[in-house]
Amino acid sequence: LPFSAAANLRPGAEQKVVFITARVHPGETPSSFVCQGIIDFLVSHHPIAKVLREHLVFKIAPMLNPDGVYLGNYRCSLMGFDLNRHWANPSPWAHPTLHGVKELIIDMYNNPKINLEFYIDIHAHSTMMNGFMYGNIFEDEERFQRQAIFPKLLCQNAEDFSYSSTSFNRDAVKAGTGRRFLGGLLNDTSYCYTLEVSFYSYILGGTAPAVPYTEEAYMKLGRNVARTFLDYYRLNSLVEGPLAPTPKTR
């Protein structure tokens, strides 16, 4: 679909885009609940959501591998591809969802009226606990440091998010992932992350016992991801009235 400005942006506002994708690996069901939490919060009547809609454009592709999900596959698409290894050159025939999303991202990147500022791909992790992020390594030290800001802010907002488990890498085996490929394609004002969340539990610090994740806890992490953009863009002063608790969804 061609990109168009969101109708709710303030007149004359800069088009700052946050692009979010999920469920490229069909078996990673927690990623759908995290994404659902983000969507439910952004379309809610919460005062923070209203400010975010007025200042940012959120583009969300909640399921990059619908055929794999339908078939009950764990990692691959209908044709047996791990889509998260084919971002570099996706085929419109063999990897149609990836091809379409990549085309849209490149169109936005090449549009001088649009600033593509974030790309976040949501996954679930089978061995680690908590939520955490993967980012990229850059030769530019200042860019590398700026990349750490968002996960640090998210760690302050989400008790189950672990900054200590967050890591930045350039593993060759991950070269075809969305985070790695787009991190190399986009310029130094764009930040690309993989958001991982544990399949099973989180620890709230120290030697506390592990707390099993629930669907609601995954959605809460999604809501906290959305809220963190308020802090990142320093929009707190624009929120009207006392801040109500983030509403529970569903």
Side-chain angles (χ1 to χ4, degrees), residues 7-27:
N8 45 273
L9 275 183
R10 294 169 303 127
E14 198 176 12
Q15 290 190 48
K16 296 178 178 178
V17 175
V18 175
F19 205 109
I20 297 170
T21 57
R23 209 68 184 274
V24 71
H25 290 143

Side-chain angles (χ1 to χ4, degrees), residues 77-241:
S77 66
L78 167 67
M79 298 181 67
F81 291 107
D82 180 343
L83 296 182
N84 205 37
R85 295 297 182 271
H86 288 274
W87 277 92
N89 189 27
S91 159
W93 178 73
H95 327 107
T97 53
L98 230 58
H99 182 268
V101 167
K102 181 182 172 182
E103 291 276 295
L104 178 57
I105 289 174
I106 291 175
D107 285 348
M108 287 190 292
Y109 177 63
N110 291 330
N111 188 330
K113 296 180 179 178
I114 297 169
N115 290 326
L116 180 55
E117 307 220 326
F118 280 90
Y119 172 74
I120 299 176
D121 189 28
I122 308 173
H123 288 250
H125 205 283
S126 59
T127 60
M128 294 181 68
M129 289 193 279
N130 294 66
F132 58 95
M133 280 180 148
Y134 292 128
N136 295 312
I137 290 177
F138 304 107
E139 303 302 332
D140 181 350
E141 179 65 22
E142 197 243 343
R143 183 184 184 189
F144 183 70
Q145 294 297 334
R146 279 189 281 122
Q147 183 188 213
I149 294 172
F150 187 85
K152 284 182 177 179
L153 292 173
L154 179 54
C155 189
Q156 295 173 11
N157 288 335
E159 60 182 4
D160 59 320
F161 183 85
S162 170
Y163 185 75
S164 62
S165 294
T166 292
S167 64
F168 304 93
N169 64 68
R170 54 163 65 123
D171 296 346
V173 71
K174 301 291 183 69
T177 65
R179 183 257 308 179
R180 281 290 311 281
F181 177 75
L182 293 172
L185 173 72
L186 307 178
N187 64 26
D188 62 0
T189 62
S190 303
Y191 299 101
C192 300
Y193 304 95
T194 299
L195 172 62
E196 296 272 4
V197 63
S198 173
F199 266 106
Y200 55 102
S201 62
Y202 57 95
I203 294 178
L204 296 180
T207 56
V211 180
Y213 264 113
T214 61
E215 293 176 8
E216 172 55 36
Y218 287 131
M219 289 192 282
K220 182 179 179 182
L221 176 59
R223 296 194 294 270
N224 285 326
V225 169
R227 291 182 73 124
T228 300
F229 288 104
L230 188 83
D231 300 326
Y232 183 85
Y233 287 104
R234 300 178 180 176
L235 300 171
N236 306 66
S237 62
L238 301 177
V239 179
E240 295 178 6

